[in-house]
Amino acid sequence: MTQPRGEESPHIAAVRRSVDAGFQFLHLCDSTDRTVMAIHAQRLHDGVIETYTIRDMTEAVAARYRAEDYPNGAPLWQQHGTVEEVVSALLALPPHGTPDAPMITRRATSSLWLPGGG
């Protein structure tokens, strides 16, 4: 396996932690299905769906939704930033239903471009 370059290491390590935490992945491809435009990851646990989408190592968005609100509802929590920042923040969230966990939905932002999104 090729070792990641120095600047990639923290981002790849964050993705590996998410794999260990049970996230599953989907490649979002262009219209030819030959070029991966983004990577989407999600997991369902404790009544919530946690998700993140990566466009490149400096452009990612993560969110937590109530399972019944996903995918069209408002998230309970959302963050934009580098892969390492958003994945680490998502994995650090308190368990759903605990006193410090996000409980109130918030309006979703759409600052991350997604393939086919126009």
Side-chain angles (χ1 to χ4, degrees):
M1 177 175 5
T2 304
Q3 291 295 319
R5 295 187 312 239
E7 73 267 10
E8 296 170 348
S9 293
H11 308 291
I12 292 171
V15 171
R16 286 183 177 148
R17 287 193 312 273
S18 76
V19 169
D20 293 342
F23 279 81
Q24 296 181 330
F25 295 83
L26 174 68
H27 293 128
L28 304 176
C29 296
D30 67 3
S31 61
T32 68
D33 282 336
R34 293 184 187 155
T35 303
V36 175
M37 303 300 289
I39 298 170
H40 177 78
Q42 70 181 41
R43 71 175 176 175
L44 169 64
H45 73 102
D46 298 329
V48 294
I49 293 179
E50 295 177 330
T51 180
Y52 66 90
T53 303
I54 301 168
R55 175 109 191 268
D56 65 39
M57 66 184 169
T58 62
E59 187 178 355
V61 61
R64 175 185 277 182
Y65 296 84
R66 286 188 197 102
E68 63 269 17
D69 293 340
Y70 187 77
N72 297 317
L76 296 166
W77 174 91
Q78 186 175 39
Q79 182 171 327
H80 301 264
T82 69
V83 172
E84 192 277 328
E85 290 167 347
V86 302
V87 172
S88 294
L90 182 59
L91 292 174
L93 286 175
H96 182 63
T98 62
D100 292 330
M103 300 298 288
I104 299 171
T105 58
R106 46 174 289 172
R107 187 175 156 186
T109 59
S110 61
S111 65
L112 180 68
W113 172 91
L114 294 175

